Amino acid sequence: MPDAPLPTDAHVVVLSGAGLSAASGVPTFRDAHGLWEGHRVEDVATPDAWARDPELVRRFYDLRRVACAEVDPNPGHAALARLQRALGPERCALITQNIDGLLGRAGAVDVVEMHGSLWRLQCEADVDHPRVPVVGAQRRDARCEACGAALRPDVVWFGEMPYDLDRIERVVTGCDVFVSVGTSGVVYPAAGLVSVARSVGARCVEINPHPSGGRFDEVRAEPSEVALPALVDAWLADR
Ligand SMILES: [Zn+2]
């Protein structure tokens, strides 16, 4: 079963986390003590930190953005983009917790970036105001076109609600195969989504060199840049 081609009408959902981008060398900005410039990352990526010291928060994301521009998608990203091209985006939903944009750079479309993106800014006053693309460091005088408020990274911080939860619930409810890649299957949101997928009878696959112990039908204890190209080859063998 694991290596059987995918039925032509199957709906696939792939949830990816940090493990998908690990082989690209995306820097974590944590020193040996888990700190960035003396701060816990969890204390920089918060609405409170933004209110207290926006310059610190901007600098943190500027550094991450500049560093991410230096890395490339890896074979795991490419395999997911290839799967999506073969099935069509309506039958292959790619949901990611990563903010690095690497799935898009690999050719994936309509990626659900549930934690936002390094490559966009948003109005700090109104989430419905237009997003602003950004490359390199954020211009300090950049303002929201709609209302003139300051622009903040379009990234979901600790204590904020992930994006597109309704859409995510909808696609997972409609899927036949749910794949969790490089993210813990026992921690929110992966654990909750696996439960939803199981409840609709979907086959649940985990790809993680350190399996989470979550409730999956199939576990591949390999890095995603190894497991995903092989899995996608097998799934698309007859096409
Ligand atoms: Zn605004």
Side-chain angles (χ1 to χ4, degrees), residues 123 125-126 129 144 146-149:
C123 174
D126 189 330
H129 286 173
C144 173
C147 74

Side-chain angles (χ1 to χ4, degrees), residues 8-109:
T8 48
D9 58 350
H11 283 73
V12 178
V13 171
V14 182
L15 171 70
S16 57
L20 176 65
S21 293
S24 293
V26 173
T28 63
F29 289 96
R30 292 173 199 245
D31 65 18
H33 308 290
L35 301 177
W36 171 71
E37 296 189 0
H39 305 275
R40 295 195 324 147
V41 169
E42 292 78 359
D43 293 336
V44 180
T46 67
D48 283 351
W50 176 253
R52 197 170 54 236
D53 191 349
E55 189 48 40
L56 177 82
V57 177
R58 284 198 199 98
R59 194 167 78 247
F60 176 68
Y61 285 100
D62 284 350
L63 288 171
R64 294 185 70 174
R65 190 180 306 113
V66 168
C68 264
E70 302 286 310
V71 306
D72 293 313
N74 67 59
H77 298 107
L80 291 179
R82 183 158 58 95
L83 179 68
Q84 191 189 46
R85 268 196 305 278
L87 301 183
E90 64 290 338
R91 289 201 292 113
C92 182
L94 302 180
I95 304 167
T96 190
Q97 298 168 274
N98 300 336
I99 61 173
D100 53 38
L102 289 174
L103 273 171
R105 281 177 53 198
V109 298

Side-chain angles (χ1 to χ4, degrees), residues 200-224:
V200 297
R203 185 169 127 219
C204 295
V205 181
E206 177 175 38
I207 294 173
N208 195 329
H210 309 290
S212 63
R215 300 179 66 213
F216 292 92
D217 302 304
E218 185 186 323
V219 174
R220 293 177 175 232
E222 293 177 310
S224 51

Side-chain angles (χ1 to χ4, degrees), residues 3 17 19 21-22 31 38 44 71 74 97 142 144 161-162 164 171-172 183 198 211 231:
D3 291 313
S21 293
D31 65 18
V44 180
V71 306
N74 67 59
Q97 298 168 274
C144 173
M161 192 69 102
D164 295 322
V171 295
V172 174
T183 182
R198 290 186 71 88
L231 185 67

